[in-house]
Coordinates of all heavy atoms in Angstrom, one line a residue:
M1 N -24.9 19.0 0.5 CA -23.4 18.9 0.3 C -23.0 17.6 -0.2 O -21.9 17.2 0.0 CB -22.8 19.3 1.7 CG -22.9 20.7 2.1 SD -22.1 21.9 1.0 CE -20.4 21.7 1.7
E2 N -23.9 16.9 -0.8 CA -23.5 15.5 -1.2 C -22.7 15.6 -2.5 O -21.8 14.8 -2.7 CB -24.7 14.7 -1.4 CG -25.3 14.2 -0.1 CD -26.0 12.9 -0.3 OE1 -26.4 12.5 -1.4 OE2 -26.2 12.2 0.7
K3 N -23.0 16.6 -3.3 CA -22.3 16.7 -4.6 C -21.1 17.7 -4.4 O -21.3 18.8 -4.1 CB -23.2 17.2 -5.7 CG -24.0 16.1 -6.3 CD -24.5 16.5 -7.7 CE -25.2 15.4 -8.4 NZ -25.7 15.7 -9.7
S4 N -19.9 17.1 -4.5 CA -18.8 18.0 -4.3 C -17.9 18.0 -5.6 O -17.8 17.0 -6.2 CB -17.9 17.4 -3.1 OG -16.7 18.0 -3.1
T5 N -17.4 19.2 -5.9 CA -16.6 19.3 -7.1 C -15.1 19.2 -6.7 O -14.3 19.2 -7.6 CB -16.9 20.6 -7.8 OG1 -16.8 21.6 -6.9 CG2 -18.3 20.6 -8.4
S6 N -14.8 19.1 -5.5 CA -13.4 19.0 -5.1 C -12.9 17.6 -5.5 O -13.6 16.6 -5.5 CB -13.3 19.2 -3.6 OG -13.9 18.1 -2.9
P7 N -11.6 17.6 -5.9 CA -11.1 16.3 -6.3 C -11.1 15.2 -5.3 O -10.6 15.4 -4.2 CB -9.6 16.7 -6.7 CG -9.4 18.1 -6.2 CD -10.7 18.7 -5.8
K8 N -11.7 14.2 -5.7 CA -11.8 13.0 -4.8 C -11.0 11.9 -5.4 O -10.7 12.0 -6.6 CB -13.2 12.6 -4.7 CG -14.0 13.0 -3.5 CD -15.3 12.2 -3.4 CE -16.4 13.0 -3.0 NZ -17.7 12.3 -3.1
Q9 N -10.8 10.9 -4.6 CA -10.1 9.8 -5.2 C -11.1 9.0 -6.1 O -12.2 8.8 -5.7 CB -9.6 8.8 -4.1 CG -8.6 7.8 -4.6 CD -8.0 7.1 -3.5 OE1 -8.3 7.2 -2.4 NE2 -7.0 6.2 -3.9
I10 N -10.7 8.7 -7.3 CA -11.5 8.0 -8.2 C -10.9 6.7 -8.5 O -9.7 6.5 -8.7 CB -11.6 8.8 -9.5 CG1 -12.1 10.2 -9.3 CG2 -12.4 8.1 -10.6 CD1 -13.6 10.4 -9.3
F11 N -11.8 5.7 -8.5 CA -11.4 4.4 -8.9 C -11.9 4.0 -10.2 O -12.9 4.5 -10.7 CB -11.9 3.4 -7.8 CG -11.3 3.6 -6.5 CD1 -11.9 4.4 -5.6 CD2 -10.1 3.0 -6.1 CE1 -11.4 4.6 -4.3 CE2 -9.5 3.2 -4.9 CZ -10.2 4.0 -4.0
I12 N -11.2 3.1 -10.9 CA -11.6 2.7 -12.2 C -12.1 1.3 -12.2 O -11.4 0.4 -11.6 CB -10.4 2.8 -13.2 CG1 -9.8 4.2 -13.2 CG2 -10.9 2.4 -14.6 CD1 -10.7 5.3 -13.7
D13 N -13.3 1.1 -12.7 CA -13.8 -0.2 -12.8 C -13.0 -1.0 -13.7 O -12.9 -0.6 -14.9 CB -15.3 0.0 -13.4 CG -16.0 -1.4 -13.6 OD1 -15.3 -2.4 -13.8 OD2 -17.2 -1.4 -13.5
P14 N -12.3 -2.0 -13.3 CA -11.3 -2.7 -14.1 C -12.0 -3.6 -15.2 O -11.3 -4.0 -16.1 CB -10.6 -3.7 -13.1 CG -11.4 -3.8 -12.0 CD -12.3 -2.6 -11.9
V15 N -13.3 -3.7 -15.2 CA -14.0 -4.5 -16.2 C -14.4 -3.6 -17.4 O -14.1 -3.9 -18.5 CB -15.2 -5.2 -15.6 CG1 -16.0 -6.0 -16.6 CG2 -14.8 -6.2 -14.5
C16 N -15.0 -2.5 -17.1 CA -15.5 -1.7 -18.2 C -14.8 -0.3 -18.2 O -15.1 0.5 -19.1 CB -17.0 -1.5 -18.0 SG -17.4 -0.4 -16.6
F17 N -13.9 -0.1 -17.3 CA -13.1 1.2 -17.2 C -13.9 2.4 -16.9 O -13.5 3.5 -17.2 CB -12.3 1.4 -18.5 CG -11.3 0.3 -18.8 CD1 -11.5 -0.6 -19.8 CD2 -10.2 0.1 -18.0 CE1 -10.6 -1.7 -20.1 CE2 -9.3 -0.9 -18.2 CZ -9.5 -1.8 -19.3
M18 N -15.0 2.3 -16.3 CA -15.8 3.4 -15.9 C -15.1 4.0 -14.6 O -14.6 3.2 -13.8 CB -17.2 3.0 -15.6 CG -18.2 3.6 -16.5 SD -19.9 3.1 -16.0 CE -20.2 4.4 -14.8
K19 N -15.3 5.3 -14.5 CA -14.8 5.9 -13.2 C -15.8 5.6 -12.1 O -17.0 5.9 -12.3 CB -14.6 7.4 -13.4 CG -13.4 7.7 -14.3 CD -13.3 9.1 -14.6 CE -12.2 9.4 -15.7 NZ -12.4 10.6 -16.3
V20 N -15.3 5.2 -11.0 CA -16.2 4.9 -9.9 C -15.7 5.7 -8.6 O -14.5 5.6 -8.3 CB -16.3 3.4 -9.6 CG1 -17.3 3.1 -8.5 CG2 -16.6 2.6 -10.8
T21 N -16.6 6.4 -8.0 CA -16.2 7.0 -6.8 C -16.4 6.1 -5.6 O -17.2 5.2 -5.6 CB -17.1 8.3 -6.5 OG1 -18.4 7.9 -6.4 CG2 -16.9 9.3 -7.6
P22 N -15.6 6.3 -4.5 CA -15.6 5.4 -3.4 C -17.0 5.4 -2.7 O -17.2 4.6 -1.8 CB -14.5 5.8 -2.5 CG -13.6 6.7 -3.3 CD -14.5 7.2 -4.4
D23 N -17.8 6.4 -3.0 CA -19.1 6.5 -2.4 C -19.9 5.2 -2.7 O -20.8 4.8 -2.0 CB -19.9 7.7 -3.0 CG -19.2 8.9 -2.8 OD1 -18.3 9.0 -1.9 OD2 -19.5 9.9 -3.5
K24 N -19.6 4.7 -3.9 CA -20.3 3.5 -4.3 C -19.8 2.2 -3.6 O -18.9 1.5 -4.2 CB -20.2 3.3 -5.8 CG -21.2 4.0 -6.6 CD -21.4 3.4 -8.0 CE -22.5 4.0 -8.8 NZ -22.8 3.3 -10.0
K25 N -20.2 2.0 -2.4 CA -19.6 0.9 -1.7 C -20.3 -0.4 -2.0 O -19.9 -1.4 -1.5 CB -19.7 1.2 -0.2 CG -18.8 2.4 0.2 CD -18.5 2.4 1.7 CE -17.6 3.5 2.1 NZ -18.3 4.7 2.5
D26 N -21.4 -0.3 -2.7 CA -22.1 -1.5 -3.0 C -21.4 -2.6 -3.8 O -21.5 -3.7 -3.7 CB -23.4 -1.2 -3.7 CG -24.3 -0.3 -2.9 OD1 -24.1 -0.3 -1.7 OD2 -25.3 0.3 -3.4
F27 N -20.6 -2.0 -4.7 CA -19.9 -2.9 -5.7 C -18.4 -2.9 -5.5 O -17.7 -2.3 -6.3 CB -20.3 -2.6 -7.1 CG -21.8 -2.4 -7.3 CD1 -22.3 -1.1 -7.6 CD2 -22.7 -3.4 -7.0 CE1 -23.7 -1.0 -7.8 CE2 -24.0 -3.3 -7.2 CZ -24.5 -2.0 -7.6
T28 N -18.0 -3.6 -4.5 CA -16.5 -3.7 -4.3 C -16.1 -5.1 -4.2 O -16.9 -6.0 -3.9 CB -16.1 -3.0 -2.9 OG1 -16.7 -3.6 -1.9 CG2 -16.5 -1.5 -3.0
F29 N -14.9 -5.3 -4.4 CA -14.3 -6.7 -4.3 C -12.9 -6.6 -3.9 O -12.1 -5.8 -4.5 CB -14.5 -7.4 -5.7 CG -14.0 -8.8 -5.6 CD1 -14.7 -9.8 -4.9 CD2 -12.8 -9.2 -6.3 CE1 -14.3 -11.1 -4.8 CE2 -12.4 -10.5 -6.2 CZ -13.1 -11.5 -5.5
T30 N -12.5 -7.3 -2.9 CA -11.1 -7.2 -2.4 C -10.4 -8.4 -2.9 O -10.8 -9.6 -2.7 CB -11.1 -7.2 -0.9 OG1 -11.8 -6.1 -0.5 CG2 -9.6 -7.0 -0.4
Y31 N -9.3 -8.2 -3.6 CA -8.5 -9.2 -4.2 C -7.0 -8.9 -4.0 O -6.5 -7.8 -4.3 CB -8.8 -9.3 -5.7 CG -8.0 -10.3 -6.5 CD1 -8.2 -11.6 -6.3 CD2 -7.1 -9.9 -7.4 CE1 -7.5 -12.6 -6.9 CE2 -6.3 -10.8 -8.1 CZ -6.5 -12.2 -7.9 OH -5.8 -13.1 -8.6
K32 N -6.3 -9.8 -3.4 CA -4.9 -9.7 -3.1 C -4.6 -8.4 -2.4 O -3.8 -7.5 -2.8 CB -4.0 -9.7 -4.4 CG -4.0 -11.1 -5.0 CD -3.1 -11.1 -6.2 CE -3.1 -12.5 -6.8 NZ -2.3 -12.6 -8.1
M33 N -5.3 -8.2 -1.3 CA -5.2 -7.0 -0.4 C -5.5 -5.7 -1.0 O -5.2 -4.6 -0.5 CB -3.7 -6.9 0.1 CG -3.1 -8.2 0.6 SD -3.8 -8.6 2.2 CE -2.9 -7.4 3.2
R34 N -6.2 -5.7 -2.2 CA -6.5 -4.5 -2.8 C -8.1 -4.4 -3.1 O -8.6 -5.5 -3.4 CB -5.8 -4.4 -4.2 CG -5.9 -3.0 -4.8 CD -5.2 -3.2 -6.2 NE -3.7 -3.2 -6.0 CZ -2.9 -2.2 -5.9 NH1 -3.4 -1.0 -6.1 NH2 -1.6 -2.3 -5.8
T35 N -8.6 -3.3 -2.8 CA -10.1 -3.2 -3.0 C -10.4 -2.6 -4.4 O -9.9 -1.5 -4.7 CB -10.7 -2.4 -1.9 OG1 -10.4 -3.0 -0.7 CG2 -12.2 -2.3 -2.1
Y36 N -11.2 -3.2 -5.1 CA -11.6 -2.7 -6.4 C -13.1 -2.2 -6.4 O -13.9 -2.8 -5.7 CB -11.5 -3.8 -7.5 CG -10.0 -4.2 -7.6 CD1 -9.6 -5.3 -6.9 CD2 -9.1 -3.6 -8.5 CE1 -8.2 -5.7 -7.0 CE2 -7.8 -4.0 -8.6 CZ -7.4 -5.0 -7.8 OH -6.1 -5.4 -7.9
Y37 N -13.4 -1.2 -7.1 CA -14.7 -0.6 -7.2 C -15.3 -0.9 -8.5 O -14.6 -0.7 -9.5 CB -14.7 0.9 -6.8 CG -14.3 1.1 -5.4 CD1 -13.0 1.0 -5.0 CD2 -15.3 1.5 -4.5 CE1 -12.7 1.3 -3.7 CE2 -14.9 1.7 -3.1 CZ -13.6 1.6 -2.8 OH -13.3 1.9 -1.5
F38 N -16.6 -1.1 -8.5 CA -17.2 -1.4 -9.8 C -18.5 -0.6 -10.0 O -19.1 -0.1 -9.0 CB -17.6 -2.9 -9.9 CG -16.4 -3.8 -9.7 CD1 -16.0 -4.2 -8.5 CD2 -15.6 -4.1 -10.8 CE1 -14.9 -5.0 -8.3 CE2 -14.5 -4.9 -10.6 CZ -14.1 -5.3 -9.4
C39 N -18.9 -0.4 -11.2 CA -20.1 0.4 -11.5 C -21.3 -0.3 -11.2 O -22.4 0.2 -11.0 CB -20.0 1.0 -12.9 SG -20.2 -0.3 -14.1
A40 N -21.3 -1.6 -11.3 CA -22.5 -2.4 -11.2 C -22.1 -3.8 -10.7 O -21.0 -4.3 -10.8 CB -23.2 -2.5 -12.5
E41 N -23.2 -4.5 -10.3 CA -23.0 -5.9 -9.8 C -22.5 -6.8 -10.9 O -21.7 -7.7 -10.6 CB -24.4 -6.4 -9.3 CG -24.4 -7.8 -8.9 CD -23.7 -8.1 -7.5 OE1 -23.6 -7.1 -6.8 OE2 -23.3 -9.2 -7.3
S42 N -22.9 -6.6 -12.1 CA -22.5 -7.4 -13.2 C -21.0 -7.3 -13.4 O -20.3 -8.3 -13.7 CB -23.3 -7.1 -14.5 OG -23.1 -5.8 -14.8
C43 N -20.5 -6.1 -13.3 CA -19.0 -6.0 -13.5 C -18.3 -6.6 -12.3 O -17.2 -7.2 -12.5 CB -18.7 -4.5 -13.6 SG -19.1 -3.8 -15.2
R44 N -18.8 -6.5 -11.1 CA -18.1 -7.0 -10.0 C -18.1 -8.6 -10.1 O -17.1 -9.2 -9.8 CB -18.9 -6.7 -8.7 CG -18.1 -7.0 -7.4 CD -18.9 -6.6 -6.2 NE -20.0 -7.5 -6.1 CZ -20.0 -8.7 -5.4 NH1 -18.8 -9.1 -4.9 NH2 -21.0 -9.5 -5.4
K45 N -19.1 -9.1 -10.6 CA -19.2 -10.6 -10.7 C -18.2 -11.1 -11.8 O -17.6 -12.1 -11.7 CB -20.6 -11.0 -11.1 CG -21.5 -11.1 -9.8 CD -22.6 -12.1 -10.0 CE -23.2 -12.3 -8.6 NZ -24.7 -12.6 -8.7
A46 N -18.1 -10.3 -12.9 CA -17.2 -10.7 -13.9 C -15.8 -10.7 -13.4 O -15.0 -11.6 -13.7 CB -17.4 -9.7 -15.1
F47 N -15.5 -9.7 -12.6 CA -14.1 -9.6 -12.1 C -13.9 -10.7 -11.1 O -12.8 -11.4 -11.1 CB -14.0 -8.2 -11.4 CG -12.6 -8.0 -10.8 CD1 -11.6 -7.6 -11.6 CD2 -12.3 -8.3 -9.5 CE1 -10.3 -7.4 -11.1 CE2 -11.0 -8.1 -9.0 CZ -10.0 -7.6 -9.8
E48 N -14.9 -11.0 -10.3 CA -14.8 -12.0 -9.2 C -14.5 -13.4 -9.9 O -13.8 -14.2 -9.3 CB -16.1 -12.0 -8.4 CG -16.0 -12.8 -7.2 CD -17.3 -12.7 -6.4 OE1 -18.1 -11.8 -6.7 OE2 -17.5 -13.5 -5.5
T49 N -15.1 -13.6 -11.0 CA -15.0 -14.9 -11.7 C -13.5 -15.1 -12.2 O -13.0 -16.2 -12.1 CB -15.9 -14.9 -12.9 OG1 -17.2 -14.7 -12.4 CG2 -15.9 -16.3 -13.6
N50 N -12.9 -14.0 -12.7 CA -11.6 -14.2 -13.2 C -10.8 -12.9 -13.1 O -10.6 -12.2 -14.1 CB -11.7 -14.6 -14.7 CG -10.3 -15.1 -15.2 OD1 -9.3 -15.1 -14.5 ND2 -10.3 -15.6 -16.4
P51 N -10.3 -12.6 -11.9 CA -9.7 -11.3 -11.6 C -8.4 -11.1 -12.5 O -8.2 -10.0 -13.0 CB -9.3 -11.4 -10.1 CG -10.1 -12.4 -9.6 CD -10.4 -13.4 -10.7
D52 N -7.6 -12.2 -12.7 CA -6.4 -12.0 -13.4 C -6.6 -11.6 -14.8 O -5.7 -11.0 -15.4 CB -5.6 -13.3 -13.3 CG -5.1 -13.5 -11.9 OD1 -4.7 -12.5 -11.2 OD2 -5.1 -14.7 -11.4
K53 N -7.7 -12.0 -15.4 CA -8.0 -11.6 -16.7 C -8.0 -10.1 -16.9 O -7.6 -9.6 -17.9 CB -9.3 -12.3 -17.1 CG -9.8 -11.9 -18.5 CD -11.2 -12.5 -18.8 CE -11.8 -11.8 -20.0 NZ -13.2 -12.2 -20.1
Y54 N -8.5 -9.5 -15.8 CA -8.7 -8.0 -15.9 C -7.5 -7.3 -15.4 O -7.3 -6.1 -15.8 CB -9.9 -7.6 -15.1 CG -11.2 -8.2 -15.7 CD1 -11.8 -9.3 -15.2 CD2 -11.7 -7.7 -16.9 CE1 -13.0 -9.8 -15.7 CE2 -12.8 -8.2 -17.5 CZ -13.5 -9.3 -16.9 OH -14.6 -9.8 -17.5
L55 N -6.7 -7.9 -14.6 CA -5.5 -7.2 -14.1 C -4.3 -7.4 -14.9 O -3.5 -6.4 -15.1 CB -5.3 -7.7 -12.7 CG -6.4 -7.5 -11.7 CD1 -6.1 -8.0 -10.3 CD2 -6.7 -6.0 -11.6
E56 N -4.1 -8.6 -15.5 CA -2.9 -8.8 -16.3 C -1.6 -8.3 -15.7 O -0.9 -7.7 -16.4 CB -3.1 -8.2 -17.7 CG -4.2 -8.9 -18.5 CD -4.4 -8.2 -19.8 OE1 -3.6 -7.3 -20.1 OE2 -5.4 -8.6 -20.5
S57 N -1.5 -8.5 -14.5 CA -0.3 -8.0 -13.8 C 0.0 -8.9 -12.6 O -0.9 -9.4 -11.9 CB -0.4 -6.6 -13.4 OG 0.6 -6.2 -12.5
K58 N 1.3 -9.0 -12.3 CA 1.6 -9.7 -11.0 C 1.6 -8.8 -9.9 O 1.9 -9.1 -8.7 CB 3.0 -10.4 -11.2 CG 2.9 -11.6 -12.0 CD 4.2 -12.0 -12.7 CE 4.0 -13.1 -13.8 NZ 5.2 -13.2 -14.6
S59 N 1.4 -7.5 -10.1 CA 1.2 -6.5 -9.1 C 2.3 -6.5 -8.1 O 2.0 -6.4 -6.9 CB -0.2 -6.6 -8.5 OG -0.3 -7.7 -7.7
S60 N 3.5 -6.6 -8.6 CA 4.6 -6.5 -7.6 C 4.8 -5.0 -7.2 O 5.2 -4.7 -6.1 CB 5.9 -7.0 -8.2 OG 6.1 -6.5 -9.5
K61 N 4.6 -4.1 -8.2 CA 4.8 -2.7 -7.9 C 3.4 -2.0 -8.2 O 3.0 -1.9 -9.3 CB 5.8 -2.1 -8.8 CG 7.2 -2.4 -8.3 CD 8.2 -1.6 -9.2 CE 9.7 -2.0 -8.8 NZ 10.6 -1.4 -9.7
P62 N 2.8 -1.5 -7.1 CA 1.5 -0.9 -7.3 C 1.5 0.3 -8.3 O 0.6 0.5 -9.1 CB 1.2 -0.3 -5.9 CG 1.9 -1.2 -5.0 CD 3.2 -1.6 -5.7
K63 N 2.6 1.0 -8.3 CA 2.7 2.2 -9.2 C 2.8 1.8 -10.7 O 2.1 2.4 -11.6 CB 3.8 3.1 -8.9 CG 3.4 4.1 -7.8 CD 4.3 5.4 -7.9 CE 3.7 6.4 -6.9 NZ 4.5 7.6 -6.9
G64 N 3.6 0.8 -10.9 CA 3.7 0.3 -12.3 C 2.4 -0.3 -12.7 O 1.9 -0.1 -13.9
W65 N 1.7 -1.0 -11.8 CA 0.4 -1.6 -12.2 C -0.6 -0.5 -12.5 O -1.3 -0.5 -13.5 CB 0.0 -2.4 -10.9 CG -1.4 -2.9 -11.1 CD1 -1.8 -4.1 -11.6 CD2 -2.6 -2.3 -10.6 NE1 -3.1 -4.2 -11.5 CE2 -3.7 -3.1 -10.9 CE3 -2.9 -1.1 -10.0 CZ2 -5.0 -2.8 -10.6 CZ3 -4.2 -0.8 -9.7 CH2 -5.2 -1.6 -10.0
W66 N -0.5 0.6 -11.7 CA -1.5 1.6 -11.9 C -1.2 2.4 -13.2 O -2.1 2.8 -13.9 CB -1.5 2.5 -10.7 CG -2.5 3.6 -10.7 CD1 -2.3 5.0 -10.8 CD2 -3.9 3.4 -10.6 NE1 -3.5 5.6 -10.8 CE2 -4.5 4.7 -10.7 CE3 -4.8 2.3 -10.5 CZ2 -5.9 4.9 -10.7 CZ3 -6.1 2.5 -10.5 CH2 -6.7 3.7 -10.6
G67 N 0.1 2.6 -13.4 CA 0.4 3.4 -14.6 C 0.0 2.6 -15.9 O -0.6 3.2 -16.8
R68 N 0.2 1.3 -15.9 CA -0.2 0.5 -17.1 C -1.7 0.5 -17.2 O -2.3 0.6 -18.3 CB 0.3 -0.9 -16.9 CG 1.7 -1.0 -17.4 CD 2.2 -2.4 -17.1 NE 1.3 -3.5 -17.6 CZ 1.4 -4.7 -17.3 NH1 2.4 -5.1 -16.5 NH2 0.5 -5.6 -17.7
Y69 N -2.3 0.5 -16.0 CA -3.8 0.5 -15.9 C -4.3 1.8 -16.6 O -5.2 1.8 -17.4 CB -4.1 0.5 -14.5 CG -5.5 0.2 -14.1 CD1 -6.4 -0.2 -15.1 CD2 -5.9 0.3 -12.8 CE1 -7.7 -0.5 -14.7 CE2 -7.2 -0.1 -12.4 CZ -8.1 -0.5 -13.4 OH -9.4 -0.8 -13.0
L70 N -3.8 3.0 -16.2 CA -4.2 4.2 -16.8 C -4.0 4.3 -18.3 O -4.7 4.9 -19.0 CB -3.6 5.4 -16.0 CG -4.0 5.6 -14.6 CD1 -3.3 6.7 -14.0 CD2 -5.5 5.8 -14.5
E71 N -2.8 3.8 -18.7 CA -2.5 3.7 -20.1 C -3.6 3.0 -20.9 O -4.1 3.4 -21.9 CB -1.2 3.0 -20.3 CG -0.2 3.9 -21.0 CD 1.2 3.2 -21.1 OE1 1.3 2.2 -21.7 OE2 2.1 3.7 -20.4
R72 N -3.9 1.8 -20.3 CA -4.9 1.0 -21.0 C -6.3 1.8 -21.0 O -7.0 1.7 -21.9 CB -5.1 -0.3 -20.3 CG -4.1 -1.3 -20.7 CD -4.1 -2.6 -19.9 NE -5.4 -3.1 -19.8 CZ -5.8 -4.0 -18.9 NH1 -4.9 -4.5 -18.0 NH2 -7.0 -4.5 -18.9
L73 N -6.5 2.5 -19.9 CA -7.8 3.2 -19.8 C -7.9 4.3 -20.8 O -8.9 4.4 -21.5 CB -7.8 3.8 -18.4 CG -9.0 4.8 -18.2 CD1 -10.3 4.0 -18.2 CD2 -8.8 5.6 -16.9
N74 N -6.8 5.0 -21.0 CA -6.8 6.1 -22.0 C -7.0 5.5 -23.4 O -7.7 6.1 -24.2 CB -5.5 6.9 -21.9 CG -5.5 7.8 -20.8 OD1 -6.6 8.3 -20.4 ND2 -4.3 8.2 -20.3
K75 N -6.4 4.4 -23.7 CA -6.5 3.8 -25.0 C -8.0 3.3 -25.2 O -8.6 3.4 -26.2 CB -5.6 2.6 -25.1 CG -4.2 3.0 -25.6 CD -3.4 1.8 -25.9 CE -1.9 2.2 -26.2 NZ -1.1 1.0 -26.3
A76 N -8.5 2.8 -24.1 CA -9.9 2.2 -24.2 C -10.9 3.3 -24.4 O -11.9 3.1 -25.1 CB -10.2 1.3 -23.0
T77 N -10.7 4.4 -23.7 CA -11.8 5.4 -23.8 C -11.4 6.5 -24.7 O -12.3 7.4 -25.0 CB -11.9 6.0 -22.4 OG1 -10.8 6.7 -22.0 CG2 -12.3 4.9 -21.3
G78 N -10.2 6.6 -25.2 CA -9.8 7.8 -26.0 C -9.9 9.1 -25.2 O -10.1 10.1 -25.8
G79 N -9.8 9.0 -23.9 CA -9.8 10.2 -23.1 C -11.3 10.7 -22.7 O -11.4 11.5 -21.9
K80 N -12.2 10.0 -23.3 CA -13.6 10.4 -23.0 C -14.1 9.5 -21.9 O -13.6 8.3 -21.7 CB -14.5 10.2 -24.2 CG -14.2 11.2 -25.3 CD -15.1 10.8 -26.5 CE -14.5 11.4 -27.7 NZ -15.0 10.8 -28.9
S81 N -15.1 9.9 -21.2 CA -15.8 9.1 -20.2 C -16.6 8.1 -20.9 O -17.1 8.3 -22.0 CB -16.6 9.9 -19.2 OG -17.6 10.6 -19.9
Q82 N -16.8 7.0 -20.2 CA -17.5 5.8 -20.9 C -18.5 5.2 -20.0 O -18.4 5.2 -18.8 CB -16.3 4.8 -21.2 CG -16.8 3.7 -22.2 CD -15.7 2.7 -22.3 OE1 -15.0 2.4 -21.3 NE2 -15.5 2.1 -23.4
K83 N -19.5 4.7 -20.6 CA -20.5 4.0 -19.8 C -20.7 2.6 -20.4 O -20.6 2.4 -21.6 CB -21.9 4.7 -19.9 CG -21.9 5.9 -19.1 CD -23.3 6.5 -19.1 CE -23.3 7.8 -18.3 NZ -24.6 8.4 -18.3
C84 N -20.9 1.7 -19.5 CA -21.0 0.3 -20.0 C -22.4 -0.1 -20.0 O -22.7 -1.2 -20.4 CB -20.2 -0.6 -19.1 SG -20.9 -1.0 -17.5
H85 N -23.3 0.7 -19.5 CA -24.7 0.3 -19.5 C -25.6 1.2 -20.4 O -25.4 2.4 -20.4 CB -25.3 0.4 -18.1 CG -24.6 -0.5 -17.2 ND1 -24.5 -1.9 -17.3 CD2 -23.7 -0.2 -16.1 CE1 -23.8 -2.3 -16.3 NE2 -23.3 -1.4 -15.6
Ligands
ZN1 ZN1 -18.7 -1.5 -15.2

C-alpha cells in the first residue's frame, strides 16, 4: 500500500520545479517558518545558499506567493512534468 493514487499534497522543488511528495523527508529545508521539499540534496543546498533567489517574494500572503509560484511553474514546465537529473 505504499503506492497510492489518491491525491496527496504535492510540493514543488523551488529550485528545479520538480514535484516532490512529502514522503521524501530527506531533502527538506525550513525557511521563514515554511518547509520546502527538494528532489535531491543538490537542490536543497542551492536553495539553502540563497533562498530569496528562488522565492522572489516577501511572502506576506501565502496564497499570492503560491499562485505566483504555480504560474512560474507552468511557464517553466509547459504543463509537463520535469526532471532535473
Ligand atoms: Zn531538484
Side-chain angles (χ1 to χ4, degrees):
M1 291 292 279
E2 283 207 340
K3 278 201 173 178
S4 169
T5 50
S6 64
K8 259 194 221 171
Q9 195 170 5
I10 301 272
F11 294 91
I12 306 296
D13 180 331
V15 176
C16 70
F17 298 111
M18 245 183 89
K19 289 171 189 161
V20 184
T21 61
D23 305 339
K24 275 201 173 188
K25 291 197 179 95
D26 296 345
F27 310 118
T28 63
F29 183 69
T30 304
Y31 178 67
K32 289 183 181 175
M33 312 285 288
R34 191 182 287 271
T35 301
Y36 298 92
Y37 291 76
F38 303 91
C39 67
E41 175 74 20
S42 56
C43 284
R44 193 183 68 86
K45 281 208 167 143
F47 184 83
E48 194 178 343
T49 305
N50 194 355
D52 291 324
K53 178 184 162 189
Y54 297 103
L55 298 180
E56 289 177 10
S57 166
K58 284 158 194 164
S59 67
S60 51
K61 283 186 186 174
K63 273 208 171 176
W65 174 88
W66 185 246
R68 276 175 49 193
Y69 194 8
L70 291 180
E71 235 174 68
R72 276 172 55 195
L73 170 70
N74 281 335
K75 273 188 191 171
T77 63
K80 294 175 198 163
S81 59
Q82 193 187 38
K83 285 186 180 177
C84 76
H85 300 294

